[in-house]
Amino acid sequence: NAGVTQTPKFRVLKTGQSMTLLCAQDMNHEYMYWYRQDPGMGLRLIHYSVGEGTTAKGEVPDGYNVSRLKKQNFLLGLESAAPSQTSVYFCASVPGHGKNTEAFFGQGTRLTVV
Amino acid sequence: AQSVTQLGSHVSVSEGALVLLRCNYSSSVPPYLFWYVQYPNQGLQLLLKYTTGATLVKGINGFEAEFKKSETSFHLTKPSAHMSDAAEYFCAVSDPPPRSSASKIIFGSGTRLSIRP
């Protein structure tokens, strides 16, 4: 059972470059999330999705875009990376539809923007 | 709007001592509450959760937490700390379904637990 898989695990970007982080889950979960983790700030919600084809903004959405074209995948895009986006990014999924009793997390993507 | 406050970014206890990590929440309705643990360079894993029913919930590794509505708190405790408990701990909140906000899970800023030999 793979669970939640994030790709890539590490990446270094130059300011202004773009990239896409991929999150894939094989548990048929409805809800998916992208968080960023920064020292002293915990996990902050960037964007989330309650189903295929739907997305919503979280606490810190600026500078990011997302897409959920397939139920099992949730993509996080940075169109023009900035040093402030240096962080560890976590994807999570939840069964959804009233079964919000546990979030399953990926192992994280460590992104450095120079 | 939901929010979570964890008092103390770093807690240090001696091995064998009581562990107490504090969490207070803000929510317009009785929420679902969670504690997650993160070991170095890993993702988060669920320790325990409160949804409905008994307000004292037991989790893995000997941890437990009590939901106190009057105090809007969900503090995490363990009677006797072990070296392997050293990690970062996160409290989280979500509104229960069928509220439209039920899909959002908001985390606190985390508490790093250190264990002294």
Side-chain angles (χ1 to χ4, degrees), chain A residues 35-44 83-90 109-112, chain B residues 9-10 38 88 90 108-112:
Chain A
Y35 291 90
R36 58 177 290 173
Q37 183 178 24
D38 302 291
M41 305 188 77
L43 275 73
R44 292 181 292 169
S84 60
Q85 294 177 305
T86 293
S87 188
V88 181
Y89 292 85
F90 284 99
T109 296
R110 186 173 296 275
L111 175 66
T112 303
Chain B
S9 59
H10 184 211
Q38 183 183 33
E88 187 144 21
F90 293 93
S109 55
T111 298
R112 183 168 301 280

Side-chain angles (χ1 to χ4, degrees), chain A residues 55-109:
Chain A
T55 62
K57 294 180 179 180
E59 302 168 278
V60 289
D62 294 342
Y64 304 95
N65 56 75
V66 288
S67 64
R68 184 103 180 264
L69 299 179
K70 293 183 179 180
K71 185 177 183 179
Q72 64 267 33
N73 295 336
F74 194 30
L75 279 63
L76 178 71
L78 287 73
E79 289 188 349
S80 180
S84 60
Q85 294 177 305
T86 293
S87 188
V88 181
Y89 292 85
F90 284 99
C91 176
S93 71
V94 167
H97 294 322
K99 300 177 183 177
N100 302 353
T101 56
E102 180 175 356
F104 293 81
F105 281 81
Q107 293 297 297
T109 296

Side-chain angles (χ1 to χ4, degrees), chain B residues 22-99:
Chain B
R22 299 178 187 275
C23 173
N24 288 88
Y25 68 89
S26 172
S27 178
S28 56
V29 296
Y32 286 178
L33 293 158
F34 310 85
W35 275 99
Y36 284 83
V37 61
Q38 183 183 33
Y39 298 103
N41 300 312
Q42 294 189 25
L44 281 71
Q45 61 184 98
L46 184 69
L47 265 183
L48 51 79
K49 63 193 178 196
Y50 168 78
T51 54
T52 58
T55 56
L56 180 63
V57 294
K58 296 185 183 299
I60 61 172
N61 301 338
F63 284 94
E64 62 182 36
E66 186 172 9
F67 170 58
K68 291 187 176 180
K69 184 179 177 181
S70 61
E71 299 178 7
T72 61
S73 69
F74 191 58
H75 301 330
L76 181 71
T77 60
K78 182 174 180 178
S80 178
H82 191 272
M83 295 300 290
S84 61
D85 295 327
E88 187 144 21
Y89 292 80
F90 293 93
C91 184
V93 63
S94 71
D95 284 340
R99 293 180 69 88

